Amino acid sequence: MRYVEIAIPEGRRGAVLGVLDDAGINYVMSDETSGARYSSVVRFPVPTNAVEPVLDDLARVDLEDAHVVVVNAETVVSEAFDEVRDQYSASGAGGARTSRQVLRTKADEFTPALSIYLVMLLISAVVATAGLLADSPAVVVGSMVIAPLLGPALAASVGIVTGDDALRRGGFRYQVLGVSVVVLASIGLATLARLAGLEPAGVDIVLVAELEERVSPNLFSVLVALGAGVAGILSLTRGFSEAIVGVMIAAALIPPAAAVGITTAWGMNGAALGALILVTVNLLSINLAALVTLWIAGYRPQGLFEVSPTRRATMRYIAVFGVGLLVLAVPLAGLTLNDFQTTELEATAQDEVERILDDPQYNEVTNDDVTVVLDDDYPARSVERVIVVVKGFDPGPDPELSDRIYQAISEETDASFLVEVQYVVAEERGETGEERIVRTAGADG
């Protein structure tokens, strides 16, 4: 529930009391004696879902100069209040959602001062870069926890649907600035790491697992960002944990932005492009999901002259975000299809090798592993080779077996790649044994 205090401008006392009386609200009135332009102050408790309709009714009686304060109230002991609560519960006035007026304030409060915002993002960028280079999921998660992205990620959408231009501009400015700071800071730190020889994966930096998944994104990344946008708005409007949702939003933005910086520092333009696409898609998805969720929930100006302009602006931004997301979804769809084809090829190769080794002449040979290796052409990687590892007691490779494996796998696809068969020789001595790879045979597919 909420406790509302309104400083009423001179000459508007009767209009205000008329609205409160019509709503059946029990209030307390006192004179305003500070000498300001207010004549009196009225105070009253209301259910949370009644704040927005009551303030909208008051706005319709020309109270633009009124001073309104809304605070949380622990409890109210009053039969009159119980009647008001039942009245607004029965009328379906928005459930227990936060009022539009309070929503603006909350969105603004979650956006820190610019200096604090930049410092926290710099720290987050350093932690994220270190976590990606060290291939440490725990450290990467830590960078998400300290990133203050919840407010900026949602302020723009709140500003659009409520007609608050300052909030909208501030939200967009903070988002772009935040991502840019993380990218630039990551480039600087990664460059220092490279000059110092701190290259954990050798020549190919993106072999680091935490980094690899962010330089070759797919359509599932869109679902994560869309969920973050919806959850962020629900955290503001329904009182869910903002801290947890803030981590979810940061997860969609901080690590990919740091990946852009790292791959740029290593001169891997294709990988940097893939990570940049992921950052852009996530930004569009978060804003689109937040905007649509707010509009559907009814968070928009209800005044006579506010609904149509706000609706047009909202639809315009939805169109911009939607078109941008669709355009970027095309390469993501291609990457997703490539992932499916790679997985399917690996499963097919596994089945074909097992089928061949079921032949009685290969009773002493077993399938040890089948791996599909992709090239380094990020983000749209293609199959470079299929590595088949077989194990047995035969001390030498079997050209016939290699040819059969190559033919069986190559017939299942039109792509051109290398099929590499590795023979692992098992040697038994006493109660223990040992294995060694004696030869690798390959064929072009």
Side-chain angles (χ1 to χ4, degrees):
M1 66 191 70
R2 301 289 186 262
Y3 192 70
V4 182
E5 178 180 286
I6 302 176
I8 306 173
E10 295 180 356
R12 306 306 302 164
R13 178 171 177 168
V16 172
L17 298 186
V19 170
L20 299 182
D21 290 335
D22 291 341
I25 294 175
N26 191 19
Y27 55 85
V28 175
M29 176 72 69
S30 62
D31 293 332
E32 210 288 317
T33 59
S34 66
R37 53 192 175 90
Y38 302 108
S39 62
S40 53
V41 177
V42 62
R43 303 175 182 87
F44 53 91
V46 289
T48 300
N49 55 345
V51 173
E52 186 170 0
V54 169
L55 292 184
D56 286 339
D57 290 341
L58 291 170
R60 293 189 184 97
V61 297
D62 191 20
L63 277 182
E64 294 181 358
D65 295 333
H67 182 75
V68 181
V69 178
V70 181
V71 297
N72 290 328
E74 292 294 333
T75 186
V76 176
V77 182
S78 170
E79 293 183 0
F81 179 80
D82 293 339
E83 294 176 359
V84 173
R85 180 170 53 194
D86 294 341
Q87 170 190 337
Y88 281 95
S89 298
S91 64
R97 74 175 198 174
T98 302
S99 68
R100 187 180 71 255
Q101 295 80 3
V102 174
L103 183 64
R104 289 181 179 178
T105 303
K106 292 183 67 174
D108 187 57
E109 287 178 349
F110 282 126
T111 303
L114 182 59
S115 58
I116 299 298
Y117 182 68
L118 293 177
V119 170
M120 293 301 293
L121 279 178
L122 284 173
I123 297 173
S124 179
V126 170
V127 175
T129 303
L132 291 175
L133 290 175
D135 197 18
S136 174
V139 177
V140 175
V141 171
S143 70
M144 306 172 194
V145 173
I146 61 178
L149 292 177
L150 176 61
L154 303 179
S157 298
V158 173
I160 291 171
V161 299
T162 60
D164 191 329
D165 292 336
L167 190 61
R168 171 182 57 81
R169 289 192 297 267
F172 284 138
R173 183 171 62 251
Y174 266 61
Q175 290 182 66
V176 174
L177 180 62
V179 171
S180 301
V181 166
V182 174
V183 171
L184 293 176
S186 298
I187 290 176
L189 184 61
T191 300
L192 293 176
R194 186 181 184 187
L195 293 176
L198 303 177
E199 194 165 0
V203 176
D204 192 355
I205 186 65
V206 294
L207 289 179
V208 175
E210 281 294 312
L211 193 59
E212 186 176 17
E213 66 185 50
R214 293 176 172 93
V215 298
S216 186
N218 53 43
L219 284 176
F220 296 113
S221 305
V222 179
L223 299 179
V224 174
L226 288 173
V230 174
I233 289 302
L234 292 179
S235 71
L236 290 183
T237 61
R238 301 292 176 171
F240 299 153
S241 174
E242 291 89 359
I244 295 176
V245 177
V247 173
M248 186 177 181
I249 291 176
L253 297 177
I254 295 298
V260 174
I262 293 173
T263 50
T264 299
W266 254 264
M268 303 186 66
N269 297 329
L273 176 61
L276 182 60
I277 291 175
L278 179 58
V279 172
T280 306
V281 166
N282 286 349
L283 275 173
L284 291 173
S285 300
I286 290 172
N287 282 277
L288 178 62
L291 193 55
V292 172
T293 303
L294 282 169
W295 186 260
I296 292 176
Y299 284 97
R300 51 190 181 272
Q302 302 295 322
L304 181 61
F305 302 104
E306 295 179 295
V307 173
S308 295
T310 305
R311 181 181 291 113
R312 286 195 296 268
T314 301
M315 294 307 174
R316 183 170 62 251
Y317 278 102
I318 288 177
V320 171
F321 295 152
V323 171
L325 194 56
L326 287 176
V327 170
L328 292 177
V330 173
L332 290 186
L335 295 176
T336 304
L337 179 61
N338 185 64
D339 289 342
F340 285 150
Q341 291 174 340
T342 301
T343 303
E344 183 179 12
L345 175 60
E346 187 168 350
T348 300
Q350 181 76 35
D351 293 340
E352 290 299 321
V353 172
E354 293 289 350
R355 180 183 61 80
I356 293 172
L357 295 183
D358 283 341
D359 192 315
Q361 65 176 309
Y362 302 120
N363 286 339
E364 300 298 322
V365 181
T366 59
N367 177 21
D368 194 51
D369 186 40
V370 175
T371 304
V372 175
V373 179
L374 303 179
D375 60 25
D376 297 331
D377 189 15
Y378 294 92
R381 306 173 70 191
S382 56
V383 178
E384 181 180 85
R385 67 180 60 203
V386 177
I387 300 176
V388 179
V389 181
V390 294
K391 179 171 34 175
F393 294 101
D394 191 341
D398 186 340
E400 179 184 357
L401 175 59
S402 298
D403 290 340
R404 290 186 63 180
I405 291 176
Y406 161 67
Q407 291 293 338
I409 296 177
S410 61
E411 289 175 357
E412 296 297 326
T413 178
D414 296 330
S416 177
F417 51 83
L418 184 73
V419 177
E420 182 179 302
V421 182
Q422 296 181 354
Y423 294 84
V424 178
V425 177
E427 297 180 352
E428 293 185 353
R429 299 177 183 177
E431 296 182 356
T432 62
E434 62 182 43
E435 297 177 353
R436 59 189 177 90
I437 299 178
V438 296
R439 183 181 175 186
T440 298
D444 288 321

